[in-house]
């Protein structure tokens, strides 16, 4: 979808914005797709679907500095989704260098405005969502808030369903009713399942180009993985607002309807662990731990409740990053691993010694953490 970030050599934590604008020239495209009936409850809206049929628009990032948004609007581009920043650089999260000026340009041109965040390995979804919300520029109710789930730059893997849902739920918890879009390539969409993301109400913004010649071709093939698409990014080589190689999109009118903060997670959520009462870790304890570590620390194995080297290596990474673990990330837990785990437990009611010897009170403290709703 997007070209590389080109942020090397720039300050990564709070970059000063630098100019921009969006728009796209009308393209020869397939006949407009009829607006579908309202989505089922899993993709619910707060209001009735908008009567608008389709809207055309662009999305812009670091390679579209200087785009003329007023020209783009006159060319028929009715919305502009602007890159706010991302988590995919090893240096840490950043604000995109043209973000503020591009938002201002699109807003002044009378376009509907959106803000998108690029996923990555270098923040947890919750931390990324918090950074995104904290650095929004001129956010207004009704603006699109989008997660761009793809692998770019230093990042090595796609966020999975649980991670994407955690990002949306964190944004919703901060802002309440929002217009959420979930961007992903069609092949990656079909390779996973997205029940938790669907349950947040996020509209699907899917990328599939065909020949990628500036023209919209066939309907996106979702492989049954999402109730419907809301926005189709159909080329990355459009011309808009005087800028070449712009992403062009077709959005259904209801893509801009607000969502009331997310529905309940799907019915296959993980049960709470009784370890909080018994002090003895069980299968549910380790399933919840594996789910937590898949969201925060790169665990990619099964959520089967059977801890092995991969589970313990992810645990050591998390403890290294947050709880003072200084030993090797080798998947073999020992006294240093368990001492750091006791420091985690100390934030959740454990008052015993930090000696690396796990007992019932230590396990109860960890279980209180794992039983938090966010790890369901």
């Amino acid at each position: 979808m997007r070209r590389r970030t080109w942020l090397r050599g720039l300050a990564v934590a709070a970059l000063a914005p630098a100019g921009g604008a969006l728009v796209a020239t009308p393209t020869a495209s397939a006949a407009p797709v009829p607006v579908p009936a309202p989505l089922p409850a899993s993709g619910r809206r707060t209001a009735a679907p908008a009567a608008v049929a389709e809207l055309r628009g662009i999305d812009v990032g670091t390679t579209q500095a200087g785009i003329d948004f007023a020209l783009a609007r006159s060319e028929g581009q009715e919305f502009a989704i602007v890159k706010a920043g991302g988590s995919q650089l090893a240096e840490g999260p950043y604000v995109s260098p043209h973000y503020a000026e591009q938002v201002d340009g699109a807003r002044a041109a009378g376009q509907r405005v959106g803000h998108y965040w690029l996923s990555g390995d270098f923040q947890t979804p919750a931390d990324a969502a918090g950074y995104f919300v904290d650095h929004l520029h001129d956010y207004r109710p009704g603006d699109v808030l989008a997660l761009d789930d793809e692998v770019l730059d230093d990042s090595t893997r796609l966020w999975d369903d649980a991670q994407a849902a955690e990002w949306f739920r964190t944004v919703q918890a901060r802002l309440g009713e929002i217009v959420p879009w979930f961007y992903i390539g069609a092949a990656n969409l079909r390779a996973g399942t997205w029940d938790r993301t669907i349950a947040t109400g996020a509209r699907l913004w899917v990328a599939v180009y065909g020949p990628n010649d500036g023209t919209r071709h066939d309907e996106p093939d979702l492989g049954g993985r999402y109730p419907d698409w809301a926005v189709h990014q159909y080329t990355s080589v459009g011309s808009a607002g005087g800028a070449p190689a712009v992403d062009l999109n077709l959005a259904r009118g209801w893509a801009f309807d607000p969502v009331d903060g997310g529905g309940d997670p799907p019915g296959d959520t993980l049960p709470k662990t009784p370890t909080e009462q018994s002090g003895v870790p069980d299968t549910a304890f380790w399933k919840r731990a594996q789910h937590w570590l898949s969201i925060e620390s790169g665990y990619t194995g099964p959520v089967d409740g059977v801890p092995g080297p991969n589970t313990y290596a992810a645990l050591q990474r998390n403890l290294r990053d947050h709880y003072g673990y200084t030993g090797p990330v080798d998947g073999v837990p020992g006294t240093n691993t368990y001492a750091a785990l006791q420091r985690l437990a100390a934030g959740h009611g454990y008052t015993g010694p930090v000696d690396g010897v796990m007992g019932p009170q230590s396990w109860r403290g960890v279980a209180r953490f794992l039983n938090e709703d966010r790890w369901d």
Side-chain angles (χ1 to χ4, degrees):
M1 165 194 182
R2 331 260 177 213
R3 291 137 298 275
R4 289 180 64 85
T5 315
W6 305 114
L7 282 175
R8 302 299 186 211
L10 296 175
V12 201
L15 298 177
L22 338 155
V23 145
T25 53
T27 58
S29 66
V33 181
V35 179
L39 288 179
S42 58
R44 76 221 173 287
R45 311 181 182 92
T46 15
V52 180
E54 292 100 4
L55 299 170
R56 297 192 179 275
I58 57 179
D59 58 273
V60 297
T62 56
T63 59
Q64 281 84 33
I67 187 170
D68 184 339
F69 289 94
L71 175 59
R73 179 68 183 88
S74 72
E75 294 166 338
Q77 303 304 318
E78 297 177 79
F79 64 87
I81 313 301
V82 178
K83 182 175 182 179
S87 307
Q88 87 287 4
L89 297 181
E91 295 94 321
Y94 62 90
V95 174
S96 185
H98 312 305
Y99 168 51
E101 193 161 350
Q102 287 176 332
V103 167
D104 292 344
R107 186 101 57 203
Q111 293 174 306
R112 300 188 189 213
V113 172
H115 316 250
Y116 78 82
W117 183 262
L118 180 59
S119 68
D121 294 359
F122 303 101
Q123 278 186 303
T124 68
D127 287 345
Y131 189 98
F132 171 67
V133 171
D134 287 342
H135 293 83
L136 284 170
H137 173 72
D138 190 25
Y139 170 69
R140 303 181 188 183
D143 284 359
V144 170
L145 298 176
L147 174 64
D148 174 2
D149 195 7
E150 60 181 319
V151 179
L152 286 178
D153 299 300
D154 302 326
S155 198
T156 62
R157 63 190 180 87
L158 204 69
W159 278 5
D160 65 15
D161 182 32
Q163 292 170 307
E166 179 77 4
W167 189 91
F168 282 111
R169 290 190 183 282
T170 303
V171 174
Q172 289 166 332
R174 291 283 302 274
L175 297 176
E177 184 177 86
I178 63 171
V179 180
W181 288 10
F182 175 51
Y183 175 91
I184 192 169
N188 288 329
L189 177 82
R190 294 192 299 268
T193 57
W194 305 98
D195 292 346
R196 291 173 181 268
T197 305
I198 292 166
T200 69
R203 286 84 166 87
L204 178 62
W205 178 13
V206 64
V208 56
Y209 301 155
N212 198 18
D213 57 5
T215 299
R216 184 171 184 267
H217 294 275
D218 295 334
E219 283 280 294
D221 176 9
L222 309 185
R225 297 301 191 182
Y226 226 84
D228 206 347
W229 62 270
V231 190
H232 179 194
Q233 185 190 83
Y234 59 87
T235 186
S236 62
V237 296
S239 176
V246 177
D247 297 334
L248 301 183
N249 303 269
L250 178 71
R252 289 163 163 173
W254 51 262
F256 297 91
D257 291 346
V259 169
D260 62 4
D264 295 331
D268 59 350
T269 54
L270 294 173
K272 306 293 188 183
T273 173
T275 302
E276 187 171 345
Q277 290 76 40
S278 71
V280 179
D282 65 342
T283 299
F285 175 98
W286 286 110
K287 282 185 176 180
R288 295 184 71 85
Q290 289 166 330
H291 178 54
W292 158 52
L293 294 168
S294 73
I295 293 172
E296 288 211 334
S297 299
Y299 175 69
T300 57
V303 178
D304 59 3
V306 181
N310 289 339
T311 302
Y312 287 117
L315 177 63
Q316 289 167 331
R317 283 195 295 274
N318 189 283
L319 297 174
R320 177 196 61 194
D321 294 342
H322 302 290
Y323 298 100
Y325 175 66
T326 58
V329 178
D330 58 5
V332 180
T335 301
N336 288 342
T337 302
Y338 290 126
L341 193 60
Q342 287 172 322
R343 283 192 283 274
L344 182 158
H348 299 274
Y350 174 62
T351 58
V354 177
D355 57 5
V357 180
M358 297 293 288
Q361 295 302 324
S362 301
W363 291 119
R364 287 188 183 103
V366 179
R368 289 188 193 100
F369 166 72
L370 293 177
N371 274 342
E372 293 177 356
D373 290 347
R374 57 182 167 153
W375 312 129
D376 286 353

